[in-house]
C-alpha cells in the first residue's frame, strides 16, 4: 500500500504514514461493526437456548438492536460520582477499549493480510492482553466504592492466574512452529497431521493445550462461567457499577473485542488461521479470510454456548483450576512437547 501512495507523488514517509492509517481503519471499522453484530448474535444464541426469541423488533429480524442500544447510551448523561477520582475514572474505559483494539495489529486475516507482520507477534499479543487488567483496576479504584474495588481485585488476580498458564500453552505452540511470527505459525500448520489436517489442534500432544487455551481464554476475557468480576449477586455489576453512558459502552465494546480476539487466536494458533481445515486443493479455492472468519464465528458460538449453559464458578474453584490444574498440566506438557521434539530431531 505504501508503494501505491508513493506512485501518487507522496514521499516515502508520508506514503508510509497514510498507508498505516488506512490499514488501521480497515481493521478497526469492520471490527467495531462486527462487535455490534456479535452482540446481536450473542443475544440470539442465548435466547434460542432458553427457547425465547431474542431481539426481533428494531430492524429486520432485530438486526439494528445493537445500534439502537448504542444510540441510547450515547444520549444518556455521563454521571461521575462526587467522591471519584475524576481523571482516572474517565481514562479507565478509554484504556480498556484502546488495548482491546491494539492487539489486532498482528492478527493475520489472510496470507500477507496483516497490519504489522512482526517477528515477535505472539509476544506482542501477550504484552497487550496483559495491559487490559489496568482498565479494570483503574475503574475499580477510581470509583471509590466497595463493590467496584472488590471486582477490580478479583479481575487482577483472575487475569494474572490464567495468563501464567496461557504463557506455558503458547510455549508449546512456539516450540512446534519454531517462530513467534503469527503468519509463520499459521503456515507451519499446513498439512500438520497425516499431511491432511491443517491445525495444531489435530495433534494429540497439542490438543489438550488447545482445550486449556480455550478455557483460559474464557477466564481471561471474564466470560461465563468465569465472570466473577461482574457477579451481580455479589458485586451489583462489578467494576463498571458506577459507569453510565458512553463510558459504560466503551467497556462493553472492549469486552466483546477481547472475546473476538480470543476467538481469532484460537483459530490462528490451533486451527490453521486462514487455511482450510483439510489440505485438499479444491478447498483452497475459497478465499483464506472466509475460512478465518468462519473459524472465528464458530469459536464465538462456543463462547456463547458455554455462557448460556454452564453455571458460574465459585471464586475458590476459579483459582484452584488456574493454579492447581492448568499451571502444572501446561508446565508438564512443555516438558513433554520439547522432549518429543528433541527425540525426533525437530530442532536439528
Amino acid at each position: 500500500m505504501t508503494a501505491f501512495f508513493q506512485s501518487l507523488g507522496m514521499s516515502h514517509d508520508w506514503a508510509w504514514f497514510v498507508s498505516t492509517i488506512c490499514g488501521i481503519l480497515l481493521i478497526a471499522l469492520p471490527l467495531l461493526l462486527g462487535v455490534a453484530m456479535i452482540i446481536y448474535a450473542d443475544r440470539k444464541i442465548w435466547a434460542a437456548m432458553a427457547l425465547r426469541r431474542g431481539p426481533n423488533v428494531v430492524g429486520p429480524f432485530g438486526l439494528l438492536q445493537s445500534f439502537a442500544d448504542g444510540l441510547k447510551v450515547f444520549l444518556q448523561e455521563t454521571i461521575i460520582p462526587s467522591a471519584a477520582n475524576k481523571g482516572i475514572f474517565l481514562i479507565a474505559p478509554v484504556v480498556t477499549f484502546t488495548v482491546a483494539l491494539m492487539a489486532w495489529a498482528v492478527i493475520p486475516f489472510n496470507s500477507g493480510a496483516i497490519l504489522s507482520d512482526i517477528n515477535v507477534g505472539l509476544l506482542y499479543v501477550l504484552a497487550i492482553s496483559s495491559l487490559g487488567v489496568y482498565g479494570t483496576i483503574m475503574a475499580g479504584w477510581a470509583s471509590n466504592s466497595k463493590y467496584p474495588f472488590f471486582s477490580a481485585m478479583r479481575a487482577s488476580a483472575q487475569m494474572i492466574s490464567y495468563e501464567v498458564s496461557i504463557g506455558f500453552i503458547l510455549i508449546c505452540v512456539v516450540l512446534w512452529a519454531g517462530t513467534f511470527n503469527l503468519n509463520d505459525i499459521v503456515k507451519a500448520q499446513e498439512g500438520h497431521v497425516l499431511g491432511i489436517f491443517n491445525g495444531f489442534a489435530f495433534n494429540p500432544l497439542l490438543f489438550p493445550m488447545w482445550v486449556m487455551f480455550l478455557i483460559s481464554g474464557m477466564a481471561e476475557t471474564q466470560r461465563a462461567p468465569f465472570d466473577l468480576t461482574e457477579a451481580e449477586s455479589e458485586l451489583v455489576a462489578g467494576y463498571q457499577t458506577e459507569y453510565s453512558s458512553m463510558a459504560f459502552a466503551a467497556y462493553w465494546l472492549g469486552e466483546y473485542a477481547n472475546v473476538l480476539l480470543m476467538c481469532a487466536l484460537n483459530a490462528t494458533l490451533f486451527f490453521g488461521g486462514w487455511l482450510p481445515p483439510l489440505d485438499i486443493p479444491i478447498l483452497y479455492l475459497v478465499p483464506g479470510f472466509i475460512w478465518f472468519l468462519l473459524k472465528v464465528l464458530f469459536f464465538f458460538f462456543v463462547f456463547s454456548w458455554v455462557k448460556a449453559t454452564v453455571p458460574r464458578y465459585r471464586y475458590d474453584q476459579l483459582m484452584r483450576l488456574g493454579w492447581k490444574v492448568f499451571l502444572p498440566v501446561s508446565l508438564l506438557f512443555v516438558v513433554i512437547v520439547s522432549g518429543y521434539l528433541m527425540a525426533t530431531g525437530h530442532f536439528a
Side-chain angles (χ1 to χ4, degrees):
M1 193 181 290
T2 303
F4 170 75
F5 285 110
Q6 280 185 291
S7 68
L8 298 179
M10 291 185 180
S11 66
H12 178 270
D13 291 343
W14 273 106
W16 175 85
F17 177 76
V18 174
S19 64
T20 302
I21 295 297
C22 290
I24 292 172
L25 293 177
L26 280 173
I27 293 175
L29 295 181
L31 179 61
L32 293 176
L33 178 63
V35 165
M37 300 316 298
I38 277 300
I39 294 173
Y40 165 80
D42 210 10
R43 296 172 66 178
K44 275 293 191 181
I45 293 169
W46 301 343
M49 292 188 179
L51 298 180
R52 295 182 290 108
R53 295 187 64 186
N56 59 81
V57 175
V58 186
F61 307 106
L63 284 169
L64 301 180
Q65 183 65 55
S66 294
F67 300 100
D69 292 339
L71 178 63
K72 179 185 71 175
V73 297
F74 180 75
L75 296 175
Q76 287 177 339
E77 179 185 0
T78 301
I79 299 172
I80 303 176
S82 58
N85 185 314
K86 293 180 176 57
I88 298 178
F89 185 85
L90 293 174
I91 290 172
V94 177
V95 170
T96 298
F97 180 64
T98 305
V99 167
L101 297 182
M102 285 172 64
W104 285 89
V106 296
I107 299 296
F109 298 90
N110 202 344
S111 180
I114 180 172
L115 179 62
S116 183
D117 191 15
I118 57 178
N119 289 330
V120 290
L122 196 53
L123 286 178
Y124 172 84
V125 170
L126 274 175
I128 291 297
S129 63
S130 66
L131 293 176
V133 70
Y134 285 106
T136 304
I137 292 177
M138 289 165 67
W141 184 83
S143 295
N144 196 21
S145 176
K146 289 196 297 278
Y147 292 128
F149 185 71
F150 290 155
S151 173
M153 293 301 98
R154 281 186 174 189
S156 58
Q158 178 174 329
M159 295 177 79
I160 291 169
S161 299
Y162 282 87
E163 276 176 3
V164 175
S165 57
I166 284 177
F168 284 123
I169 291 166
L170 296 183
I171 286 174
C172 296
V173 174
V174 170
L175 285 171
W176 215 294
T179 178
F180 282 100
N181 184 292
L182 289 173
N183 224 8
D184 293 339
I185 288 175
V186 172
K187 293 174 182 177
Q189 298 176 64
E190 187 171 358
H192 178 67
V193 178
L194 302 177
I196 300 174
F197 297 101
N198 295 330
F200 286 144
F202 301 106
N203 184 327
L205 283 178
L206 294 179
F207 177 78
M209 295 294 94
W210 165 66
V211 173
M212 290 170 56
F213 184 80
L214 179 66
I215 298 172
S216 297
M218 293 178 185
E220 181 76 5
T221 54
Q222 297 150 22
R223 289 279 290 189
F226 306 108
D227 55 341
L228 276 301
T229 58
E230 302 172 17
E232 67 279 353
S233 60
E234 305 158 27
L235 301 174
V236 187
Y239 58 88
Q240 53 198 7
T241 299
E242 305 292 347
Y243 282 89
S244 61
S245 187
M246 285 306 293
F248 175 80
Y251 275 116
W252 197 243
L253 292 171
E255 178 182 334
Y256 275 90
N258 276 327
V259 170
L260 284 178
L261 175 66
M262 277 298 169
C263 295
L265 287 175
N266 271 282
T268 301
L269 298 174
F270 291 97
F271 282 84
W274 70 80
L275 299 173
L278 301 176
D279 195 21
I280 300 174
I282 193 171
L283 295 179
Y284 286 90
L285 297 177
V286 179
F289 74 90
I290 298 294
W291 286 118
F292 179 77
L293 179 63
L294 290 174
K295 292 171 184 178
V296 169
L297 292 177
F298 168 75
F299 283 113
F300 183 79
F301 173 77
V302 172
F303 270 62
S304 296
W305 182 10
V306 170
K307 182 166 185 173
T309 55
V310 180
R312 181 180 287 138
Y313 269 41
R314 293 198 318 266
Y315 199 72
D316 61 299
Q317 293 173 326
L318 174 76
M319 289 291 107
R320 178 186 174 278
L321 183 66
W323 289 107
K324 292 188 176 181
V325 179
F326 281 7
L327 178 59
V329 171
S330 59
L331 186 56
L332 174 64
F333 267 85
V334 170
V335 176
I336 293 174
V337 169
S338 56
Y340 173 82
L341 293 176
M342 290 191 69
T344 54
H346 184 82
F347 296 129

